Amino acid sequence: MIRRAIIAVVIGFLAGGAGDRGRVDAASPQETIAGAARKVVKIHGAGGVRGLEAYQTGILVSPTGHVVTVMSTVLDADELDCVLDDGRRYRASLLGVDPQRELAVLSIEAEELPAFTLAAPDPVPVGTRIFALSNLFGVAVGDERVSAQHGVVSAFVPLEARRGSYEVPYRGDVYILDCTTNNPGSPGGAVVDWRGRLIGMLGKELRASGSGIWLNYAIPAASLASGYADIISGTTSSDTESPSNEIMGPGFDPAALGLVLVPDLLDRTPPFIETVAADSPAARSGLRADDLVIAVGGRSVASRAAVQQALSSLAEGDAVRLSVVRGGAIVDCNLGPRPAAGRKR
Amino acid sequence: MIHPHSWPLRLLLWLFMVTAASLSLVSASIVCVSIVSAATEDLAFEEEAAIRAAVERVAPSVVRIETAGVSEASLASSAEAMPASGPSTGVIVAEGGWILATSFAVPQDASEAIVVLPAPKQETPPGQENAAQRWVARVVGRDLARGLVLLRIDEAALNQAALTAIPEWVPRGELAVGQWTIAVGRAWDGATPSVAVGILSATNRSWGRSVQTDASISPANYGGPLVDIQGRAIGILAPLPADTAGMNLGTELYDSGIGFAVPFDDVARVLPRLKNGETLAPGVLGIGYSARDPFTGEARIATCRSGSPAAKAGLRTGDLIVAADGRPVTRIAELRHALAPHYAGDRVSLTVERGPIGVPRRDGDTPQQDGATNQGEPAPQQSAPTSRIDVQVELVASLPRWRRPMLGIVPARSSTRNDRPGPVTVAWVWAGSPAAKAGIVAGDQIEAVVPPVAEGDTAGAGDSVPVESAAALTGLVAGTEVGRSIGLVISRGGQQQTIPVELAAMPADLPADLVEQMPAFAPAQAGPGLPLADAATIERLEAAEVAQPPLVVLPTAPAQEPLGVLIFLDLPRGPVAESQAAEWKAAAARHGVAVILPGSTDSQRWGREDIAGIKRAVATLAAKRAIDPARIAVAGRGAGGAFAWLVAEALGPVARGVALVDSSLPRQATVEPSEPGRSRWVLFGSSAEATAAAPLPARVEVDRRRLDEAGFAAGTLPVEHGGQLPTTVLAAWVEALGLL
């Protein structure tokens, strides 16, 4: 063992004398992290209200000081600071936001900064090993760099999440990470693969819509690239209504299809069918009273409220297909095109 | 690898490097750096590729589980991650459509679940499965000890890919801590399984029921396989709690780096029984221990439940369990470890030591002191012979419903602080109780008891067992059925006599003359002519890190005089005013009860954050004054009533009584069957207009019946219509909690 240690020391010594390590193509994990961390900044802004933290993370995406981060209350401040990996501090200004993707771009006045190249790569496969670099819990209090964590990409799926009781507007695919990244201060952090390539950015602290578990996730690089481009070119505007609001629009009453579900008494009422109106689309499709609805258009629905929401989110004229459980088997019923949403009674 | 294993080669390399360094051959050093980096990088990416290959090996057998038709009302909603609240995972374990999942995905009351089979990504966008992938699965068997559920779908549903991917299993004996573990789930995405990577943290956890990993385990992969680097299954991921005798949710540890999987050996053993449609329950023995801490306490039986496997095998109070399944046992934890892997119906061999060593008093918080007193015990106890008895017990799934029996005596106060082993003094006798009928009177000293003959045991009939504390007597009474007789060996005026007393059920309601039945708290009478209210003071229970210390109404008495404790939670209105506390002074003084009056942190509601403060307040009081552990109760009014139930749950078995005024149980309350050492006296009071036929509002009556059915004493607290809080009755009830 001692001999091994000596060899390691010698190698370390020689490596130290070798000069420019960055030129070696195959980087060690330490070098990958060091290289990526230079492109990550700590952001200090507003907070303190109701216990909200006043810090997060951002990533440098241009040598001239453009920082992409998560749109949050931290940025609602007159004085925003970005702290670079080497401890340099800059006052930052907010260039613009993309409310749909919940992204923001800041600008600091600096030149020749190390920066990630934003591109739209194919998603990396599940199982890819990653490093996450972020200002988690604000523990990097001084001039030191952000914290590094390691893990793997666990899944690449649409984000269905909530913050408190509000569904988040972002509907694109995100990386679910096997790495505990849902920490205060982590939003805006960089996720890189073991070659140091940016694959995503850590998002806000969110819970999964269904199970309520905290999510460790990252917004993929491709989405960052298009969001950044939109903000820089001024094609996003913060005062347009987000599509999620449009979806919510007027509620759709399933009675228009001749379908009456059981009353919604519990928080998660199982969506049993109470009655089916004679000679209605529901009746013609073969639905019967006491059927349990388990999917709308192939998408799982666990509660009566979820059925209502799934039907409301279809557009007028979209085909309505319900899957129900009846006598231990699944029956698919096609109800034809969805009628227009009636006025709320 | 860069480290050659043969010594000459290593020496060569070493010499080469020393030379290289001394000659400052820069080119050579760059070569070295390249070797190091390339090796690290290759290893990292080879590992990544191996992990992905391992996942692909089992992926077609990993399915998504959705729950159909389960409402929140049937779920324990207090947990952060709720069962059956989103999709979870399952794994195909055998040809014929057999799929294992967890009871997290398929709760107790669900008889079927939806299985979504994996689909190729290019065909189906995530979340939009076609009908052919979705199948209704029937629940065939359950393993309640490990939280596993065996499902079955139509065998025609499984294609060749799924069948060939049925995992090959790693025997538990081949597992080594530190090896790669990969958790595979299917909850997020129908096409690609989710992956979490870690190492094996331990090969034996959850009292022998699981292996442990530091990969992120959550509802997303519960039910999925934990595989090794070759894609062989180590076990089924499940939310097993690390340390509980029973099964609670076990989801608190999700994504924490502390995850569990039921190892294959266990699954293989039970699979045939599960396929057979069996429900496998954890095996129950039916004993309670005298020691409180399972890691330091010996396995001496304090309570032996009537009708339990232990009682049928002839075990009884005072026996010391010294071996289980042929393995020696010195502590409760060891016994638990031996018993936990067993199911109901399993036969276990036990060895007990029995001798005339008496019923031991309960271990206090200060073991050193206990040691000191034990050494001072008279010699006969050590010299008396003990016998070793071997028995076979057949564990059962559940014990007969237990209802706390009573003699009708109320022992004098005692506290762990100044408890000396010795006979139990009767402070007063419950009117109309068996003890009263048998002629037991206040002042009698209970020196020993003659237990009823144990079922199936003839050896020890008629032996008397010395009584050294009220707690020991409680244990003996708890294990005896209502209707059977215990002989009380009492001394009265220097005369010893044995009086048989037939046990009756605990009363639920309070008699109208409760306050008159009991003597007043002795120190309160010390100053004749003094108004009672002056025999109590109001103080603040200052404690570290408590911003708003609760008020406490303290009876004037020497510090070593054991007090009862009542925690009263009023409507949440922020801090409690001294004027409100003053209303309790007379009651506290009359019955020797310290009344803790916490305020709510939020002025609108009681919250979980208040519970921690209340626990600390009790600890502060216990440090200050002697407390009788048998006389601690929580009461509340309105929202404080429902909260009182939660506080009692948080305090645990030490809270012997709960009184709710103008309140029902909290919506999420779960009522476990009453057990010795975990039984409570629950009172409901209502200030609304009541009739003789319906003394309580309907909602409250439902709760009262629910508790009654679970074996609790659940009765009515008399509250005047629209009237004052019955402070004196509540304080008297705290004294009455000592009823045996």
Side-chain angles (χ1 to χ4, degrees):
Chain A
M1 281 321 280
I2 289 171
R3 276 187 295 272
R4 243 180 226 203
I6 292 170
I7 291 172
V9 165
V10 170
I11 292 170
F13 171 72
L14 295 174
D20 191 1
R21 269 179 284 173
R23 266 192 217 147
V24 181
D25 278 336
S28 69
Q30 296 87 326
E31 289 165 328
T32 304
I33 290 169
R38 296 173 65 212
K39 306 164 192 168
V40 178
V41 302
K42 295 180 282 184
I43 298 174
H44 295 277
V49 189
R50 292 195 302 142
L52 294 173
E53 59 278 1
Y55 51 87
Q56 60 185 40
T57 317
I59 54 182
L60 283 162
V61 295
S62 83
T64 51
H66 282 181
V67 174
V68 173
T69 185
V70 166
M71 188 179 97
S72 77
T73 52
V74 176
L75 308 180
D76 296 342
D78 296 332
E79 294 178 341
L80 270 176
D81 267 6
C82 286
V83 184
L84 268 50
D85 147 81
D86 56 10
R88 279 183 287 166
R89 283 161 197 276
Y90 292 93
R91 211 21 68 89
S93 57
L94 184 63
L95 282 189
V97 296
D98 176 347
Q100 176 60 36
R101 297 185 183 90
E102 297 200 293
L103 295 180
V105 176
L106 311 180
S107 174
I108 56 175
E109 288 198 19
E111 300 286 329
E112 294 178 33
L113 295 172
F116 287 112
T117 311
L118 274 187
D122 285 339
V124 296
V126 167
T128 301
R129 301 180 111 189
I130 53 110
F131 294 117
L133 302 159
S134 77
N135 184 20
L136 55 90
F137 279 100
V139 290
V141 286
D143 290 347
E144 72 267 32
R145 70 169 56 140
V146 293
S147 304
Q149 296 172 283
H150 81 109
V152 299
V153 170
S154 190
F156 186 63
V157 289
L159 182 67
E160 287 178 12
R162 60 186 165 84
R163 183 159 45 242
S165 52
Y166 301 102
E167 291 284 322
V168 296
Y170 189 91
R171 275 290 172 273
D173 285 350
V174 295
Y175 292 113
I176 303 292
L177 304 177
D178 170 29
C179 184
T180 308
T181 56
N182 76 91
N183 307 301
S186 283
V191 177
V192 299
D193 67 8
W194 276 42
R195 292 188 166 85
R197 293 177 300 203
L198 183 74
I199 66 163
M201 185 176 84
L202 299 176
K204 284 185 180 178
E205 289 177 89
L206 296 177
R207 286 170 183 267
S209 292
S211 58
I213 61 171
W214 288 102
L215 289 174
N216 302 305
Y217 74 101
I219 300 155
S223 183
L224 297 179
S226 47
Y228 174 65
D230 286 356
I231 292 170
I232 294 304
S233 63
T235 48
T236 55
S237 133
S238 50
D239 47 37
T240 54
E241 259 188 286
S242 71
S244 65
N245 292 344
E246 289 164 29
I247 288 170
M248 294 317 287
F252 176 74
D253 187 351
L257 290 162
L259 187 63
V260 180
L261 297 168
V262 292
D264 198 4
L265 297 176
L266 304 163
D267 285 2
R268 287 175 59 230
T269 309
F272 283 101
I273 294 175
E274 182 105 323
T275 53
V276 175
D279 202 28
S280 64
R284 282 191 292 273
S285 77
L287 286 176
R288 294 186 211 156
D290 295 333
D291 286 353
L292 175 66
V293 182
I294 57 162
V296 175
R299 194 174 279 269
S300 306
V301 282
S303 68
R304 188 188 174 306
V307 173
Q308 177 85 40
Q309 201 182 355
L311 289 172
S312 299
S313 68
L314 293 174
E316 185 185 341
D318 282 357
V320 176
R321 180 167 61 89
L322 299 186
S323 307
V324 298
V325 174
R326 182 190 304 155
I330 297 178
V331 182
D332 269 10
C333 300
N334 290 305
L335 287 79
R338 204 204 80 171
R343 244 173 285 135
K344 264 219 161 140
R345 266 150 280 177
Chain B
M1 297 297 293
I2 60 156
H3 300 302
H5 288 286
S6 69
W7 165 239
L9 263 177
R10 254 191 255 170
L11 185 69
L12 266 179
L13 183 67
W14 163 241
L15 287 173
F16 165 71
M17 286 191 190
V18 170
T19 317
S22 62
L23 294 176
S24 303
L25 286 176
V26 176
S27 59
S29 66
I30 287 176
V31 169
C32 281
V33 170
S34 303
I35 290 169
V36 174
S37 299
T40 314
E41 194 223 31
D42 288 351
L43 182 61
F45 292 110
E46 273 168 26
E47 278 170 352
E48 187 180 297
I51 288 164
R52 289 218 293 271
V55 173
E56 270 160 33
R57 161 75 189 79
V58 293
S61 73
V62 182
V63 301
R64 176 148 62 164
I65 307 287
E66 291 168 358
T67 313
V70 179
S71 66
E72 196 204 330
S74 60
L75 308 172
S77 58
S78 57
E80 192 167 85
M82 291 202 331
S85 48
S88 188
T89 301
V91 59
I92 302 167
V93 287
E95 287 185 28
W98 298 104
I99 293 168
L100 265 180
T102 64
S103 50
F104 180 87
V106 190
Q108 283 277 30
D109 55 351
S111 58
E112 51 195 27
I114 310 296
V115 167
V116 186
L117 300 174
K121 186 145 194 153
Q122 55 273 25
E123 284 176 25
T124 326
Q128 298 262 343
E129 287 76 23
N130 58 52
Q133 289 168 249
R134 202 176 247 118
W135 295 82
V136 175
R138 205 159 42 84
V139 174
V140 178
R142 282 181 184 276
D143 181 341
L144 302 176
R146 288 163 180 81
L148 298 180
V149 179
L150 185 67
L151 305 171
R152 190 173 201 187
I153 59 170
D154 190 336
E155 55 188 314
L158 300 181
N159 60 21
Q160 201 51 42
L163 293 178
T164 49
I166 290 175
E168 178 191 334
W169 297 88
V170 191
R172 197 170 183 170
E174 286 181 23
L175 299 178
V177 170
Q179 73 177 76
W180 282 111
T181 56
I182 304 148
V184 187
R186 182 71 77 180
W188 298 115
D189 182 351
T192 318
S194 66
V195 177
V197 180
I199 61 165
L200 197 66
S201 308
T203 57
N204 189 358
R205 282 290 182 268
S206 317
W207 303 106
R209 293 174 306 197
S210 74
V211 297
Q212 188 188 333
T213 174
D214 76 343
S216 299
I217 310 305
S218 76
N221 52 23
Y222 290 154
L226 183 71
V227 302
D228 70 3
I229 196 78
Q230 284 137 33
R232 300 181 303 162
I234 293 167
I236 305 281
L237 299 164
L240 283 171
D243 171 37
T244 52
M247 285 289 291
N248 61 19
L249 290 174
T251 54
E252 301 81 4
L253 294 173
Y254 84 84
D255 278 352
S256 65
I258 305 169
F260 301 101
V262 179
F264 166 64
D265 293 4
D266 289 1
V267 175
R269 206 170 59 232
V270 300
L271 207 50
R273 294 178 68 184
L274 294 177
K275 282 182 175 176
N276 232 357
E278 286 186 53
T279 296
L280 306 177
V284 177
L285 182 56
I287 57 172
Y289 311 105
S290 47
R292 259 183 287 178
D293 188 319
F295 299 100
T296 58
E298 56 179 12
R300 189 175 298 280
I301 300 176
T303 305
C304 191
R305 286 278 294 277
S306 146
S308 69
K312 284 179 183 160
L315 300 186
R316 58 190 203 196
T317 301
D319 287 351
L320 178 68
I321 299 176
V322 293
D325 260 354
R327 282 189 293 178
V329 164
T330 62
R331 296 286 178 269
I332 296 168
E334 289 171 301
L335 178 61
R336 198 183 279 177
H337 222 118
L339 293 178
H342 285 288
Y343 292 102
D346 288 1
R347 290 182 72 82
V348 179
S349 66
L350 294 176
T351 305
V352 299
E353 268 181 17
R354 181 179 299 169
I357 51 165
V359 181
R361 68 199 206 87
R362 188 189 50 208
D363 279 8
D365 288 327
T366 48
Q368 298 89 340
Q369 279 181 15
D370 284 359
T373 36
N374 285 346
Q375 278 161 18
E377 293 284 304
Q381 307 228 344
Q382 267 92 32
S383 63
T386 57
S387 52
R388 274 174 98 89
I389 301 163
D390 292 313
V391 295
Q392 285 278 324
V393 290
E394 186 176 324
L395 303 178
V396 293
S398 63
L399 299 171
R401 168 81 27 87
W402 182 79
R403 209 168 270 281
R404 200 175 141 194
M406 72 151 181
L407 295 163
I409 61 154
V410 183
R413 298 248 174 122
S414 66
S415 88
T416 47
R417 202 192 268 196
N418 48 18
D419 203 11
R420 291 265 168 277
V424 169
T425 307
V426 177
W428 52 288
V429 179
W430 190 266
S433 70
K437 286 177 191 153
I440 307 280
V441 294
D444 285 355
Q445 305 258 321
I446 302 173
E447 297 194 324
V449 293
V450 183
V453 180
E455 297 147 74
D457 176 36
T458 49
D463 290 352
S464 75
V465 185
V467 166
E468 291 182 345
S469 71
L473 185 58
T474 307
L476 205 131
V477 170
T480 310
E481 239 173 322
V482 169
R484 294 177 75 108
S485 287
I486 287 181
L488 295 183
V489 181
I490 60 160
S491 92
R492 184 187 295 165
Q495 300 281 333
Q496 207 181 54
Q497 53 182 310
T498 303
I499 301 178
V501 180
E502 188 182 301
L503 293 178
M506 272 282 285
D509 292 325
L510 300 180
D513 63 344
L514 175 69
V515 175
E516 288 74 42
Q517 277 191 34
M518 63 184 69
F521 182 56
Q525 297 168 314
L530 202 69
L532 263 179
D534 288 352
T537 54
I538 298 171
E539 292 175 27
R540 263 191 200 286
L541 278 176
E542 304 282 354
E545 291 171 50
V546 176
Q548 205 183 80
L551 291 177
V552 62
V553 184
L554 277 174
T556 316
Q560 74 276 11
E561 193 70 43
L563 299 176
V565 177
L566 178 68
I567 301 158
F568 182 74
L569 304 150
D570 213 336
L571 301 171
R573 293 195 196 106
V576 175
E578 288 220 7
S579 59
Q580 284 169 269
E583 292 172 19
W584 285 94
K585 281 171 102 175
R590 169 80 170 72
H591 296 292
V593 173
V595 183
I596 301 177
L597 300 160
S600 58
T601 309
D602 186 315
S603 62
Q604 308 289 319
R605 49 175 279 277
W606 288 102
R608 295 222 161 257
E609 64 278 12
D610 293 317
I611 291 179
I614 292 168
K615 279 176 142 177
R616 228 168 284 149
V618 174
T620 310
L621 180 65
K624 218 169 148 145
R625 300 286 289 260
I627 284 178
D628 186 339
R631 290 177 170 93
I632 300 176
V634 192
R637 170 157 60 180
F643 186 61
W645 175 266
L646 297 177
V647 169
E649 291 284 280
L651 289 172
V654 72
R656 300 291 176 95
V658 186
L660 299 86
V661 178
D662 293 335
S663 170
S664 54
L665 295 182
R667 206 168 65 98
Q668 66 269 39
T670 49
V671 178
E672 298 280 323
S674 144
E675 275 177 23
R678 203 175 52 80
S679 71
R680 270 189 199 127
W681 192 343
V682 186
L683 295 177
F684 292 96
S686 168
S687 63
E689 200 155 11
T691 61
L696 294 170
R699 175 78 184 86
V700 176
E701 181 56 26
V702 168
D703 282 341
R704 199 197 62 75
R705 287 214 188 117
R706 197 171 147 210
L707 287 163
D708 183 67
E709 276 162 24
F712 288 84
T716 312
L717 174 75
V719 180
E720 276 172 54
H721 168 47
Q724 292 253 314
L725 203 63
T727 51
T728 306
V729 176
L730 279 168
W733 169 64
V734 171
E735 159 63 18
L737 287 175
L739 177 61
L740 257 183

